[in-house]
């Protein structure tokens, strides 16, 4: 089962614009992570935000976390054609071990 | 250093055959995860190991699916009597200990059951 739900499912923007993706989840979490996947490849970790953090930045990435609403957002600023990929949020929580569950993803297409 | 390695990269099996998918995690990584990813979907959790202990196998779809990691390093996901609905990409990921350690993924094994 998947805990995270992302929206939009797909997003098409022009190069230079900002892209915002949202993620909602169901249970209490230890942290929330965002990953990127290029077609035919494995996922690559982008950024992690802990449950006691509200905002985090890494380069052109900005992540927010609202644990009261069980939601997170990923903002990619000044997008580039190379940012075209699928983006997934993943929540980590304890169930006898630390399980990591992924959402269905947002497919981002950046037009040059 | 080397990343997570999965083999084979592609596997075609006739319905009813057994398959074995291998994952070589990053050296020293304690945790190992298996996921199943259907086309256009997110990775679905299958099972999780910490060293050789299988801590969670709640995501395995049926008793035809079996995973092992006998020495706490290499892991094998075995699917018996494959069905067409087993066709998917199977992803392996490893991580260091610690709740805030990110997952490092292999490129997956694409299984096609004909």
């Amino acid at each position: 089962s998947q805990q995270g739900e992302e929206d939009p499912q797909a997003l098409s923007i022009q190069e230079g614009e900002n892209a915002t993706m949202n993620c909602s989840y169901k249970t209490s979490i230890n942290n929330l992570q965002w990953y990127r996947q290029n077609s035919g490849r494995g996922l690559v970790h982008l950024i992690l935000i802990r449950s006691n953090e509200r905002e985090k930045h890494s380069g052109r990435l900005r992540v927010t976390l609202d644990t009261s609403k069980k939601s997170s957002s990923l903002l990619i600023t000044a997008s580039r054609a190379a940012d075209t990929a699928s983006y997934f949020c993943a929540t980590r929580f304890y169930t006898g071990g630390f399980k990591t569950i992924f959402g269905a993803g947002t497919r981002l297409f950046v037009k040059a | 250093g080397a990343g997570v390695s999965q083999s084979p990269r592609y596997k075609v099996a006739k319905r009813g055959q057994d398959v074995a998918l291998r994952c070589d995690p990053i050296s020293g990584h304690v945790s190992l995860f298996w996921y199943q990813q259907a086309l256009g979907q997110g990775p679905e959790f299958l099972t999780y190991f910490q060293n050789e202990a299988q801590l969670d196998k709640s995501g395995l779809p049926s008793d035809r699916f079996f995973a092992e990691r006998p020495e706490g390093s290499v892991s094998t996901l075995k699917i018996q009597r494959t069905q067409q609905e087993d066709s998917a990409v199977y992803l392996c990921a490893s991580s260091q200990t610690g709740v805030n350690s990110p997952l490092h993924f292999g490129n997956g094994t694409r299984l096609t059951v004909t």
Side-chain angles (χ1 to χ4, degrees):
Chain A
S1 62
Q2 292 182 311
Q3 146 141 275
E5 296 293 332
E6 279 119 311
D7 82 273
Q9 290 186 333
L11 181 59
S12 181
I13 59 175
Q14 291 290 139
E15 208 166 29
E17 292 180 340
N18 294 341
T20 300
M21 290 160 260
N22 303 296
C23 168
S24 60
Y25 58 91
K26 298 172 186 169
T27 65
S28 295
I29 61 172
N30 293 91
N31 62 56
L32 186 143
Q33 304 171 43
W34 286 89
Y35 288 78
R36 164 195 169 126
Q37 185 178 35
N38 288 86
S39 181
R41 310 283 290 184
L43 283 76
V44 175
H45 180 261
L46 294 176
I47 192 167
L48 179 150
I49 186 165
R50 303 180 190 204
S51 60
N52 61 353
E53 296 176 314
R54 292 296 166 258
E55 187 171 314
K56 201 159 182 182
H57 297 254
S58 177
R60 293 185 295 114
L61 304 179
R62 172 178 168 253
V63 171
T64 62
L65 179 64
D66 186 336
T67 52
S68 67
K69 295 181 179 177
K70 292 188 169 58
S71 68
S72 173
S73 68
L74 172 68
L75 169 68
I76 304 174
T77 60
S79 63
R80 305 165 182 167
D83 294 330
T84 295
S86 292
Y87 292 82
F88 298 92
C89 70
T91 50
R92 179 165 283 182
F93 51 96
Y94 188 77
T95 59
F98 285 107
K99 195 169 178 174
T100 302
I101 300 297
F102 287 82
T106 293
R107 277 126 203 98
L108 174 66
F109 181 66
V110 182
K111 294 176 278 189
Chain B
V4 176
S5 177
Q6 291 188 247
S7 60
R9 186 79 173 89
Y10 302 94
K11 177 70 178 177
V12 178
K14 287 189 174 9
R15 190 172 55 185
Q17 283 185 330
D18 298 348
V19 298
L21 312 180
R22 177 186 169 106
C23 174
D24 281 88
I26 292 173
S27 179
H29 277 194
V30 168
S31 301
L32 186 145
F33 299 79
W34 282 99
Y35 293 87
Q36 180 190 60
Q37 187 175 28
L39 189 64
Q41 301 296 313
E44 291 265 5
F45 173 82
L46 294 178
T47 187
Y48 157 56
F49 290 86
Q50 189 161 301
N51 294 305
E52 67 277 6
Q54 190 173 20
L55 296 187
D56 191 324
K57 55 181 181 179
S58 61
L60 296 176
S62 75
D63 59 7
R64 296 186 296 105
F65 287 70
F66 173 75
E68 60 183 7
R69 194 186 185 198
E71 296 177 359
S73 178
V74 171
S75 177
T76 304
L77 176 67
K78 297 179 179 176
I79 309 173
Q80 297 177 323
R81 304 181 304 282
T82 51
Q83 304 294 316
Q84 283 193 311
E85 61 262 29
D86 300 335
S87 295
V89 174
Y90 290 85
L91 294 166
C92 175
S94 68
S95 74
Q96 295 179 327
T97 53
V99 63
N100 295 315
S101 298
L103 301 187
H104 298 261
F105 279 84
N107 285 326
T109 293
R110 181 177 296 278
L111 173 65
T112 302
V113 181
T114 60

